[in-house]
Amino acid sequence: MDNPQERTTNDRLRAKAPVNNLLTEIGKMPPQALDLEEAVLGAMMLENDAVNDVIDILGPDSFYKEAHKKIYRAIQDLFGASEPIDILTVTNNLRKKGELEMVGGAFYVSNLTNRVVSSAHVEYHARIIAQKYIQREVIRLCSESLKMAYDDTTDVFELLNKVEGDLFQIAEGNIKKNYDRLDDVLKQAILQIEEAAKNNDGVSGVPTGFKDLDRITSGWQKSDMIVLAARPGMGKTAFVLSMARNTSVDYNMGVAVFSLEMASVQLVNRLISSETGISSEKLRKGNLADHEFKQLHERIGKLSKAPLFIDDTPALSIFDLRAKCRRLKRQHDIQLVIIDYLQLMTAGGSGKGNREQEISTISRSIKEIAKEINVPIIALSQLSRSVETRGGDKKPMLSDLRESGAIEQDADIVTFIYRPEYYGLMEDENGMPTQDRGDIIIAKNRHGSLDTVNLKFVKHLVKFANLDDFTDDPMAQYNPTLSPNRGFEEDNTPPVNTYTVKSRMDSLDDDDDFNLNTNDLEDTPF
């Protein structure tokens, strides 16, 4: 009969077998190409053109053999000082540093030139050496990570941060983009212009559904970082959610929303309210008549088919954001990313320091992600309290961006949301009424002009709409001025004998609290 203790021990050993096999693999001779290292060094001492081809591909640590590292470093010194590079100058530089005998003497240095006849294919050889170095670095990183992972005293999140940072350094230090020929880039530019010419509305990027905004920006452009900033209560979340709905529903473009503040269900409730014309308050209570339930199910059909993806992970790190954006781009070909909002993100292990430095790291990383996956990223941001203490109309300025000037520097476009009615200003400087109006102020635009776009802010539905076509909105009839004796009529007959429910929007201080207070709705005949 088997011994249970012995059987348990054998099971444990078999479970560890894959790890032991991995350690055995790591114990093999590290990836290297000594013959190519000798050929590249020899070519660099034979022809100056070889130096120009290799110097930005390899570093001293790219070489496996210690002697080759020292010889390459001597070549780098001569190149940096604009001095000739040949057998004699390299040998003399090594002698001055006392390293000539360490590398094998003058005979070894001169013998390197015998390994090659010319510098042909030197760049190709250099890239193979760089690849071997990357392999060695990955093996080193994995080996260290294994040791740390087996150590019970290791903090798992510190381990993740370390692995993330090391992998990022390997990629940044070794994977370099080559230059582009002008004629190739010109072809791409002409193709983009031709594609834009096919669009009658002049939108070449990702459309927002807001006509005046699309006219100024031509849509959000690929690889751009757009910062949307406002004080609490202005409607940042409402604006980007309205935009996400327009882009995904009306134009069938994939949109990813990373909501660090609100839960995904709360965002979806806002979308349902906006789409159906039923207030969020009624949806939250579930106090709907039969015909309203019918209206609800009829209207959400478009939403259910929209390529809109919501991630409500709190305290999202840059590392997680990058991974999730890559995955969404690969699996669903998203065309727009929205982050709500930037100050709630964390920089992870690479962002140690004060808060301003961390925000700078986050801002810079968002721009890098936008370029990497080639889609526009909209990052919401808070404004400082200096806006409230200022006199006059309290319009926000670039200097009001909170916590870091890096946000303004990294962004391609900076926009502000401004609602004069929030500050009790019922007319603008031109004498136009500002009731239920939301202004989108474009304060920075690398690609075009600066301007202000006036939109309609629909308070009871917590959404933004175009000013000129709001009355043509099929949902416009479902507003808080419904007849006391009717709700949502199935025949869509315009309501009569209307009265207005006063909104509490002006007294709110947070984006999440746009819904009407229950007390205001007790006598409302919805």
Side-chain angles (χ1 to χ4, degrees):
M1 188 172 180
D2 290 344
N3 185 339
Q5 185 175 358
E6 182 181 350
R7 188 166 61 248
T8 304
T9 303
N10 291 335
D11 291 342
R12 191 182 300 114
L13 290 174
R14 279 194 295 271
K16 285 190 175 181
V19 177
N20 291 332
N21 291 339
L22 177 60
L23 292 174
T24 302
E25 289 292 328
I26 294 176
K28 289 182 176 181
M29 182 67 71
Q32 55 185 282
L34 293 180
D35 53 341
L36 293 182
E37 291 183 9
E38 293 172 352
V40 167
L41 291 173
M44 294 177 78
M45 290 187 287
L46 280 177
E47 299 181 21
N48 283 334
D49 288 343
V51 179
N52 297 328
D53 291 339
V54 172
I55 204 74
D56 64 338
I57 298 175
L58 299 177
D61 290 333
S62 301
F63 293 85
Y64 178 70
K65 191 172 182 178
E66 191 64 32
H68 294 168
K69 292 181 182 181
K70 296 182 183 300
I71 295 172
Y72 185 79
R73 195 173 285 112
I75 293 174
Q76 276 188 324
D77 292 342
L78 294 169
F79 181 83
S82 300
E83 295 181 5
I85 299 172
D86 54 35
I87 298 173
L88 295 177
T89 55
V90 172
T91 302
N92 187 53
N93 183 281
L94 289 168
R95 185 181 289 111
K96 285 182 178 179
K97 294 193 291 186
E99 297 178 346
L100 184 57
E101 297 305 320
M102 297 180 189
V103 303
F107 174 77
Y108 183 82
V109 176
S110 62
N111 198 44
L112 289 174
T113 58
N114 297 329
R115 304 288 296 176
V116 290
V117 178
S118 71
S119 62
H121 312 302
V122 67
E123 183 178 347
Y124 179 77
H125 295 158
R127 294 195 182 279
I128 294 177
I129 295 172
Q131 290 170 15
K132 298 296 182 184
Y133 170 66
I134 294 173
Q135 288 177 276
R136 294 197 301 271
E137 285 294 284
V138 171
I139 290 172
R140 177 190 61 79
L141 173 59
C142 291
S143 179
E144 292 177 357
S145 301
L146 274 172
K147 292 177 183 177
M148 294 179 66
Y150 272 113
D151 188 349
D152 291 336
T153 62
T154 301
D155 183 275
V156 65
F157 296 106
E158 285 297 326
L159 175 60
L160 283 174
N161 287 334
K162 182 183 184 304
V163 174
E164 169 201 341
D166 289 347
L167 280 174
F168 183 77
Q169 288 179 6
I170 292 173
E172 286 292 296
N174 296 279
I175 301 176
K176 297 182 174 69
K177 183 180 183 295
N178 205 355
Y179 58 81
D180 294 314
R181 289 179 57 88
L182 179 59
D183 56 347
D184 293 333
V185 182
L186 279 173
K187 291 176 185 176
Q188 295 179 25
I190 295 299
L191 284 174
Q192 289 183 2
I193 294 172
E194 290 174 349
E195 286 296 321
K198 296 177 184 177
N199 299 324
N200 296 328
D201 53 7
V203 177
S204 58
V206 178
T208 66
F210 302 119
K211 294 182 290 186
D212 290 339
L213 185 59
D214 287 340
R215 174 181 52 80
I216 297 171
T217 64
S218 298
W220 304 130
Q221 301 299 309
K222 293 180 178 180
S223 78
D224 273 3
M225 175 184 172
I226 301 104
V227 171
L228 175 68
R231 288 292 297 154
M234 286 293 169
K236 296 187 294 297
T237 304
F239 176 74
V240 294
L241 209 55
S242 299
M243 180 173 54
R245 181 265 170 212
N246 295 342
T247 303
S248 61
V249 174
D250 296 339
Y251 298 94
N252 198 35
M253 291 184 172
V255 180
V257 179
F258 293 92
S259 176
L260 286 78
E261 190 173 31
M262 294 180 65
S264 56
V265 174
Q266 291 177 305
L267 292 180
V268 171
N269 279 336
R270 284 195 178 190
L271 284 170
I272 293 173
S273 175
S274 172
E275 198 71 13
T276 61
I278 304 173
S279 72
S280 298
E281 185 74 20
K282 296 196 72 175
L283 290 173
R284 189 162 55 248
K285 289 181 176 180
N287 186 24
L288 305 180
D290 291 342
H291 64 275
E292 290 175 328
F293 272 112
K294 181 180 178 182
Q295 186 77 24
L296 172 67
H297 290 292
E298 286 177 352
R299 295 289 181 180
I300 62 174
K302 289 183 179 179
L303 284 180
S304 63
K305 299 175 184 177
L308 180 59
F309 309 92
I310 301 175
D311 186 313
D312 60 358
T313 304
L316 187 70
S317 71
I318 280 295
F319 178 75
D320 290 334
L321 176 68
R322 188 188 302 271
K324 291 182 178 185
C325 285
R326 284 173 176 168
R327 194 178 307 120
L328 285 165
K329 180 64 178 177
R330 183 177 66 253
Q331 295 177 353
H332 303 287
D333 192 28
I334 56 171
Q335 300 297 313
L336 177 66
V337 174
I338 297 171
I339 303 170
D340 183 12
Y341 57 91
L342 188 149
Q343 278 83 4
L344 291 179
M345 293 192 67
T346 61
S350 58
K352 302 297 183 183
N354 60 38
R355 184 57 180 164
E356 184 171 339
Q357 291 172 335
E358 188 176 20
I359 292 296
S360 298
T361 301
I362 293 169
S363 174
R364 184 169 59 252
S365 298
I366 289 174
K367 177 59 182 175
E368 290 171 356
I369 296 170
K371 290 187 67 177
E372 178 186 337
I373 64 174
N374 199 31
V375 303
I377 295 183
I378 300 176
L380 275 61
S381 177
Q382 292 282 17
L383 290 178
S384 66
R385 293 182 180 273
S386 58
V387 178
E388 309 293 339
T389 59
R390 249 195 332 260
D393 55 15
K394 302 184 186 298
K395 283 187 178 181
M397 302 181 294
L398 288 173
S399 58
D400 296 324
L401 282 172
R402 187 173 172 181
E403 288 183 310
S404 177
I407 298 176
E408 175 189 347
Q409 177 182 327
D410 295 328
D412 297 281
I413 297 177
V414 177
T415 60
F416 299 118
I417 298 180
Y418 172 68
R419 292 196 298 112
E421 185 184 7
Y422 182 89
Y423 296 110
L425 304 174
M426 305 312 294
E427 289 186 354
D428 60 18
E429 59 272 15
N430 299 319
M432 300 297 293
T434 61
Q435 184 176 4
D436 298 333
R437 197 182 83 185
D439 297 345
I440 309 300
I441 302 172
I442 302 176
K444 177 186 177 181
N445 185 3
R446 280 185 179 149
H447 312 302
S449 61
L450 308 180
D451 208 338
T452 298
V453 176
N454 302 136
L455 298 176
K456 177 79 173 180
F457 181 60
V458 191
K459 295 179 183 178
H460 69 290
L461 299 181
V462 199
K463 76 170 189 176
F464 283 79
N466 291 300
L467 266 181
D468 54 353
D469 65 0
F470 179 71
T471 52
D472 297 328
D473 186 344
M475 294 297 98
Q477 58 186 309
Y478 305 123
N479 55 45
T481 59
L482 289 172
S483 165
N485 301 317
R486 293 209 319 251
F488 295 99
E489 299 292 355
E490 293 185 20
D491 62 358
N492 293 335
T493 306
V496 293
N497 301 325
T498 63
Y499 70 92
T500 302
V501 177
K502 186 179 183 300
S503 169
R504 293 175 56 86
M505 175 58 62
D506 291 348
S507 64
L508 299 178
D509 293 324
D510 189 34
D511 279 343
D512 295 343
D513 297 322
F514 286 121
N515 300 320
L516 295 174
N517 189 289
T518 353
N519 296 330
D520 293 333
L521 296 169
E522 287 179 352
D523 301 321
T524 305
F526 281 121

